């Protein structure tokens, strides 16, 4: 039997798998596998804890000797729960997470077994860093890099292993991961934002960035997945004719969740809740077999750890349910791709959301201050922000008509736009009125308390204000959100610092504070207009308009990466202390290299599949038709055979044509690949892959998809779109 039918029969026999989770309430198991502050109280002496919490809350480094005491508590807690191993858990630039497990025991001099976990082991480890990409920071012979404990993200248990969230840096201190610069960026943002808050409230000590991610993904039955080598090796289908029915009827979005999928989701939620990931939302997405989940937002560092953790839990749980999770941004052509909306906001330690309109004029002036500073930062760094979400996989989503466009703009909605328009046109006296009692009134900006109408949403905007936060929607489903978040934090931090300088100069020159704030805000409203766009982000008109406005319109991913290395970006990352120039260069090297490797693999897989699966099937069908033609000639009188064979002639020729085009395409693609592989610089190689290989892959695919429509269904060995997306 052909692979495909075997896979289909297996897939259709898969029934919902019973969910293993206890009967109890969520509060009985939420964060049960996390060494929370509650758990710590049981295992660590009160005075040590006090110091630890104090250091963590104030962003101070943890003293080494304290790590020893903490390590003892951690080990006891973990072993009480059956743990035998521990690992530093970090986020290399390859994406995903990395871990190396070590047992808690060591052998004593006399050969006896000792249970041990020292402060040193908690604090720092030296994983063999040579096999992780560093973009040239470290040559591979000097395999010295180390991972170091991030005490602001609690340790947790997965199975028998204690996982310790860590940063990963080169021996010389350069970041080799996402967490290090993310932590630096939150510190920079906190400092810059706090100082701006002081215009309004002197008691603010810290400002934290929040992240609430929404993770989109596809599920495919594992039997069908196994019959698609392209899905297995590249995470996406490199070929496949569109299904007659896909998402046109819009019947999947928010529809009832299929039983097998629901069972998967329930188990995923249970496992996630145990490790403290506050998953709250689950639903179907737009495309068939596409789904989404979202937790409650948290501090960006913790939220990002949780997102990475959930991605690995998903893959594990899915297998148990005979599914494979597709986290690729565009696993299927012609239907929606998957993103990871990053809901971002800033919040003071006094509990104020700086991006939420307030209850009084003072709070609203503060709100407008932060809002326009974000606008300015996004305007200045729109190209850079695009670079943070660009990748070989997200490239297929950018610019397609169902995902954020390849131009970053900000949607504000009608009400906020009106507020800004009024402020822009007001004089300072109208804008801010200080009455005799020294009370301030924001004359034109009395923003109503609950202002945002939830229907005022624009799905085509890559960066949208949604009432009390910004939603960065261009981030890809497989990405580490840290890349985008650290750049956003850093850009806003730099911007806020600049804002404060401008206001302070005015105050020093004798302007009242409110007027100084108002003047700079007004200037920013005008300057940042070019980034605001509430229209249809997919339209061609917008592309032309954006070009005129001077926004970054580049669509080629290898060139988009250049935005990390502009003088402005280098200066911004340097002044905020988030990334050095050397780190930026190394990150870009890794990005180009990863891009090349991914495209190289895709191109090879496509070549193999075409030669080994597609063309043989086409040939077989063509031979059947040719035999039929001959048989007709034997059976019927000569004058009738041409008419009888007419349809077959047409199909035989079409198969011949497409096959010839495919063979030529594969030859050209192979040559182009060999040529590109000889280019020594990763950037130039990436440009070659993008410009010469990608278009050939598309071209080959078109012919393959045509053949799929012609060739006898019985002979086609690769599961088709209609099967991959609808069989449950
Ligand atoms: P949507 O309608 O966009 O799907 P959801 O209600 O699913 O919105 O929420 C999306 C995410 O936004 C959730 O993770 C939620 O916790 C998060 N979110 C809500 N308010 C904020 C905020 N102030 N800052 C950051 N994230 C937030
Ligand atoms: Mg959303």
């Amino acid at each position: 039997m052909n692979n495909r039918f075997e896979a289909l029969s297996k897939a259709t026999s898969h029934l919902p798998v019973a969910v293993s989770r206890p009967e109890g309430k969520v509060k009985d198991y939420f964060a049960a596998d996390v060494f929370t502050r509650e758990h710590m109280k049981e295992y660590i002496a009160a005075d040590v804890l006090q110091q630890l919490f104090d250091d963590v809350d104030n962003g101070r480094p943890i003293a080494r000797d304290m790590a020893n005491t903490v390590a003892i508590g951690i080990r006891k807690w973990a072993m009480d729960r059956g743990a035998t191993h521990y690992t530093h858990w970090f986020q290399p630039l390859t994406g995903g997470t990395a871990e190396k497990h070590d047992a808690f025991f060591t052998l004593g001099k006399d050969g006896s077994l000792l249970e041990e976990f020292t402060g040193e082991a908690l604090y720092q480890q030296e994983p063999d860093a040579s096999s992780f990409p560093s973009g040239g920071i470290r040559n591979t012979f000097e395999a010295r890099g180390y991972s170091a404990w991030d005490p602001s993200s609690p340790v947790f248990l997965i199975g028998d292993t204690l996982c310790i969230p860590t940063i990963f840096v080169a021996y010389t201190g350069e970041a080799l991961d996402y967490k290090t610069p993310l932590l630096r960026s939150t510190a920079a943002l906190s400092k810059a934002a706090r100082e701006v808050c002081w215009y309004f409230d002197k008691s603010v000590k810290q400002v934290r960035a929040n992240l609430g991610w929404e993770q989109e993904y596809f599920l495919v039955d594992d039997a069908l997945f196994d019959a698609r080598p392209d899905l297995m090796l590249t995470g996406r289908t490199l070929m496949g004719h569109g299904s007659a029915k896909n998402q046109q009827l819009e019947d999947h979005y928010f529809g009832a969740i299929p039983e097998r999928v629901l069972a998967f989701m329930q188990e995923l939620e249970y496992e996630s809740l145990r490790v403290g990931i506050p998953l709250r939302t689950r639903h179907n997405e737009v495309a068939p077999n596409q789904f989404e989940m979202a937790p409650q937002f948290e501090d960006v560092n913790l939220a990002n750890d949780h997102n990475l953790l959930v991605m690995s839990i998903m893959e594990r749980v899915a297998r148990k349910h005979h599914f494979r999770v597709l986290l690729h941004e565009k696993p299927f052509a012609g239907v929606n791709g998957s993103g990871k909306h990053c809901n971002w906001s800033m919040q003071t330690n006094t509990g104020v959301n700086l991006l939420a309109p307030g209850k009084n004029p003072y709070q609203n002036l503060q709100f407008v201050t932060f809002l326009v500073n974000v606008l300015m930062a996004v305007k200045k760094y729109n190209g850079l922000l695009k670079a943070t979400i660009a990748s070989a996989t997200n490239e297929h989503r950018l610019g397609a008509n169902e995902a954020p466009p390849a131009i970053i703009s900000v949607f504000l909605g009608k009400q906020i736009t009106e507020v800004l328009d009024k402020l822009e046109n007001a004089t300072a006296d109208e804008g801010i009125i200080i009455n005799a009692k020294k009370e301030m009134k924001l004359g034109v900006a009395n923003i109503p308390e609950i202002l945002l109408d939830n229907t005022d949403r624009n799905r085509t905007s890559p960066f949208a204000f949604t009432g009390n936060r910004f939603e960065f929607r261009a981030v890809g489903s497989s990405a580490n959100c840290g890349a985008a978040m650290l750049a956003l934090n850093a850009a806003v931090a730099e911007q806020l610092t600049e804002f404060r300088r401008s206001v302070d100069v005015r105050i020093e020159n004798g302007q009242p504070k409110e007027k100084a704030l108002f003047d700079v805000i007004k200037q920013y409203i005008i300057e940042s207009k070019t980034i605001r766009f509430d229209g249809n982000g997919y339209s061609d008109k917008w592309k032309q308009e954006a070009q005129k406005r001077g926004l970054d319109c580049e669509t080629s991913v290898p060139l988009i990466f250049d935005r990390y290395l502009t003088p402005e970006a280098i200066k911004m990352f340097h002044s905020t202390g988030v990334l050095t120039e050397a780190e930026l260069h190394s990150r870009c090297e890794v990005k180009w290299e990863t891009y090349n490797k991914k495209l190289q693999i895709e191109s090879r897989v496509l070549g193999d599949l075409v030669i080994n699966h597609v063309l043989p099937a086409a040939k077989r069908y063509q031979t059947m038709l040719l035999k039929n033609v001959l048989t007709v000639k034997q059976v019927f009188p000569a004058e009738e055979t041409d008419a009888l064979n007419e349809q077959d002639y047409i199909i035989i020729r079409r198969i011949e044509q497409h096959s010839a085009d495919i063979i030529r395409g594969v030859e050209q693609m192979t040559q182009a690949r060999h040529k590109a592989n000889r280019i020594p610089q990763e950037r130039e190689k990436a440009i070659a892959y993008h410009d010469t290989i990608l278009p050939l892959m598309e071209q080959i695919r078109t012919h393959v998809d045509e053949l799929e429509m012609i060739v006898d269904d019985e002979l086609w060995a690769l599961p088709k779109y209609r099967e991959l997306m609808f069989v449950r």
Side-chain angles (χ1 to χ4, degrees):
M1 192 167 33
N2 115 10
N3 269 348
R4 175 169 146 244
F5 292 108
E6 209 173 312
L8 274 171
S9 92
K10 245 197 239 167
T12 41
S13 70
H14 284 149
L15 300 172
V17 174
V19 184
S20 48
R21 62 166 178 177
E23 290 289 309
K25 298 194 179 82
V26 171
K27 74 171 170 28
D28 298 334
Y29 54 80
F30 181 71
D33 294 334
V34 183
F35 197 41
T36 55
R37 291 192 171 191
E38 246 352 272
H39 286 142
M40 287 183 197
K41 286 181 190 154
E42 263 178 68
Y43 287 88
I44 299 174
D47 54 329
V48 178
L49 264 196
Q50 194 49 51
Q51 183 66 42
L52 179 72
F53 293 166
D54 217 47
D55 289 345
V56 169
D57 293 344
N58 292 298
R60 284 193 298 263
I62 309 295
R64 283 201 177 226
D65 55 350
M66 198 161 73
N68 265 323
T69 322
V70 176
I72 292 166
I74 290 181
R75 180 177 62 82
K76 262 192 107 320
W77 169 78
M79 288 182 64
D80 282 353
R81 281 158 182 75
T84 53
H85 288 67
Y86 67 93
T87 180
H88 276 200
W89 184 78
F90 57 97
Q91 308 169 15
L93 296 174
T94 34
T97 51
E99 47 197 85
K100 172 181 153 248
H101 299 190
D102 284 307
F104 279 127
F105 78 81
T106 48
L107 290 183
K109 280 198 186 100
D110 58 353
S112 63
L113 199 103
L114 295 172
E115 301 283 7
E116 197 179 61
F117 180 55
T118 60
E120 197 53 34
L122 166 66
Y123 211 84
Q124 184 171 327
Q125 268 198 335
E126 295 197 17
D128 178 4
S130 59
S131 33
F132 293 104
S134 68
I137 277 185
R138 224 176 345 81
N139 68 46
T140 30
F141 301 109
E142 196 207 333
R144 288 189 301 172
Y146 62 89
S147 52
W149 180 36
D150 166 18
S152 64
S153 182
V155 302
F156 56 90
L157 286 170
I158 294 284
D160 64 3
T161 306
L162 169 75
C163 300
I164 305 160
T166 54
I167 58 165
F168 181 43
V169 293
Y171 201 67
T172 39
E174 286 88 1
L176 297 173
D177 68 346
Y178 288 104
K179 191 190 256 287
T180 308
L182 180 61
L183 287 170
R184 292 174 186 159
S185 78
T186 55
L189 181 67
S190 181
K191 180 168 183 297
R194 172 182 66 186
E195 290 172 1
V196 171
C197 284
W198 290 342
Y199 291 127
F200 308 93
D201 178 359
K202 283 275 183 219
S203 73
V204 172
K205 286 205 178 77
Q206 276 161 4
V207 174
R208 113 184 175 183
N210 287 321
L211 165 64
W213 43 261
E214 300 164 56
Q215 177 75 55
E216 291 180 333
Y217 61 96
F218 281 85
L219 287 176
V220 173
D221 188 278
D222 61 5
L224 296 168
F225 177 91
D226 290 343
R228 288 287 308 220
D230 48 354
L231 271 184
M232 278 172 74
L233 298 175
T234 74
R236 74 173 178 118
T237 54
L238 299 173
M239 55 184 73
H241 197 284
S243 164
K245 174 184 187 302
N246 50 47
Q247 64 190 43
Q248 314 87 323
L249 297 176
E250 297 174 353
D251 49 357
H252 189 61
Y253 193 56
F254 279 16
I257 299 170
E259 214 185 326
R260 256 185 84 190
V261 175
L262 189 59
F264 156 77
M265 287 176 168
Q266 286 166 341
E267 189 145 352
L268 170 64
E269 283 164 355
Y270 170 63
E271 296 269 326
S272 302
L273 289 164
R274 282 198 69 95
V275 288
I277 306 170
L279 285 187
R280 290 192 58 216
T281 309
R282 61 182 183 215
H283 61 81
N284 291 352
E285 257 303 325
V286 174
N289 271 10
Q290 191 187 27
F291 307 93
E292 181 187 296
M293 65 176 157
Q296 182 151 332
F297 68 88
E298 299 172 288
D299 155 69
V300 62
N301 175 43
L302 185 60
N304 194 41
D305 282 358
H306 281 166
N307 180 243
L308 288 159
L309 188 52
V310 103
M311 289 198 282
S312 67
I313 298 176
M314 282 170 94
E315 297 194 341
R316 177 161 46 83
V317 173
R319 288 198 178 207
K320 202 177 140 191
H321 290 260
H322 294 294
F323 283 124
R324 285 307 190 105
V325 173
L326 306 182
L327 290 170
H328 193 290
E329 283 77 0
K330 195 75 181 174
F332 303 105
V335 297
N336 272 20
S338 300
K340 180 147 52 196
H341 296 177
C342 286
N343 293 271
W344 175 89
S345 63
M346 292 173 277
Q347 182 187 319
T348 64
N349 64 310
T350 53
V352 176
N353 176 354
L354 296 169
L355 290 177
K359 293 197 176 75
N360 59 50
Y362 234 98
Q363 287 174 0
N364 276 334
L365 186 61
Q366 176 171 291
F367 159 67
V368 173
T369 298
F370 281 91
L371 184 87
V372 297
N373 273 290
V374 175
L375 288 179
M376 284 294 282
V378 178
K379 183 209 150 186
K380 271 190 210 159
Y381 296 108
N382 69 91
L384 172 68
L385 288 172
K386 184 164 64 180
T388 68
I389 57 95
S391 67
T393 51
N394 207 17
E395 182 162 35
H396 300 283
R397 194 170 153 257
L398 283 175
N401 258 14
E402 27 82 4
I407 302 165
I408 304 290
S409 63
V410 180
F411 169 86
L412 283 183
K414 206 163 137 255
Q415 284 152 301
I416 297 290
T417 302
E418 275 170 13
V419 170
L420 295 193
D421 285 349
K422 275 191 186 165
L423 277 174
E424 181 191 336
N425 296 315
T427 62
D429 295 342
E430 288 170 336
I432 295 175
I433 304 157
I434 314 253
N435 66 19
K437 279 189 280 171
K438 287 220 163 210
E439 276 173 347
M440 188 183 75
K441 263 198 183 143
L442 210 55
V444 291
N446 280 322
I447 306 165
E449 198 182 319
I450 299 169
L451 81 164
L452 275 198
D453 175 1
N454 235 355
T455 54
D456 188 14
R457 287 190 156 207
N458 179 330
R459 295 276 164 202
T460 71
S461 176
F463 202 99
F465 182 70
T466 48
N468 57 4
R469 60 190 189 266
F470 279 98
E471 191 170 330
F472 193 8
R473 301 193 180 124
V475 181
S477 50
S478 71
N480 180 321
C481 337
M485 294 295 99
L486 71 91
L488 180 60
N489 290 342
V492 173
E494 183 202 49
Q495 175 55 48
L496 287 169
T497 306
E498 198 172 310
F499 173 79
R500 192 172 49 85
R501 267 191 221 119
S502 308
V503 174
D504 283 354
V505 165
R506 285 177 163 75
I507 294 174
E508 278 156 27
N509 289 338
Q511 270 193 23
K513 181 176 80 181
E514 286 75 13
K515 179 156 171 31
L517 285 167
F518 179 81
D519 278 0
V520 182
I521 289 172
K522 191 168 157 174
Q523 179 196 326
Y524 281 7
I525 291 173
I526 297 167
E527 265 181 57
S528 64
K529 266 193 179 162
T530 50
I531 196 72
R532 278 159 55 186
F533 178 65
D534 281 9
N536 177 4
Y538 302 158
S539 70
D540 285 331
K541 231 174 79 196
W542 167 233
K543 284 182 199 149
Q544 290 155 16
E545 164 75 17
Q547 195 103 42
K548 262 193 246 150
R549 293 190 189 185
L551 298 178
D552 196 307
C553 298
E554 183 57 62
T555 57
S556 160
V557 165
L559 295 176
I560 292 173
F561 292 152
D562 287 343
R563 309 303 183 254
Y564 272 105
L565 301 172
T566 60
E568 298 77 31
I570 291 173
K571 189 165 154 269
M572 182 275 283
F573 280 121
H574 172 79
S575 75
T576 50
V578 173
L579 286 165
T580 65
E581 190 172 347
E583 287 171 325
L584 286 169
H585 277 284
S586 85
R587 248 146 238 266
C588 283
E589 280 302 303
V590 174
K591 281 177 187 290
W592 283 311
E593 201 182 315
T594 308
Y595 185 88
N596 294 333
K597 285 183 180 157
K598 290 214 163 143
L599 257 68
Q600 185 181 41
I601 293 170
E602 285 192 351
S603 159
R604 286 177 176 165
V605 171
L606 179 66
D608 291 354
L609 278 185
V610 160
I611 305 291
N612 301 327
H613 286 244
V614 175
L615 291 178
K619 192 51 95 193
R620 226 171 289 151
Y621 185 49
Q622 199 184 32
T623 308
M624 276 168 59
L625 296 177
L626 284 165
K627 280 193 186 139
N628 192 47
V629 165
L630 286 179
T631 315
V632 167
K633 286 196 174 170
Q634 284 163 5
V635 174
F636 290 90
E639 62 274 19
E640 286 178 39
T641 57
D642 270 358
L644 283 168
N645 279 327
E646 200 184 323
Q647 281 309 314
D648 283 358
Y649 286 153
I650 294 173
I651 297 176
I652 289 165
R653 288 211 175 89
R654 278 169 65 192
I655 292 178
E656 199 49 47
Q657 199 59 54
H658 287 305
S659 302
D661 285 339
I662 288 173
I663 291 169
R664 199 170 329 112
V666 172
E667 269 166 18
Q668 285 173 359
M669 179 176 75
T670 312
Q671 269 166 23
R673 211 166 61 221
H674 292 166
K675 198 169 153 205
N677 291 343
R678 283 197 296 271
I679 302 175
Q681 308 86 355
E682 294 294 341
R683 177 180 179 274
E684 278 60 36
K685 193 189 288 185
I687 294 170
Y689 263 101
H690 175 272
D691 293 355
T692 65
I693 292 153
L694 211 48
L696 283 166
M697 289 178 62
E698 277 308 307
Q699 207 177 303
I700 295 166
R701 177 192 181 134
T702 313
H703 293 293
V704 172
D705 293 354
E706 286 293 322
L707 281 181
E708 186 187 315
M709 294 310 274
I710 301 173
V711 171
D712 182 357
D713 190 63
E714 297 270 331
L715 298 175
W716 201 259
L718 297 166
K720 297 184 170 182
Y721 268 28
R722 61 167 186 259
E723 295 150 357
L724 289 167
M725 286 195 276
F726 290 97
V727 170
R728 311 217 135 98

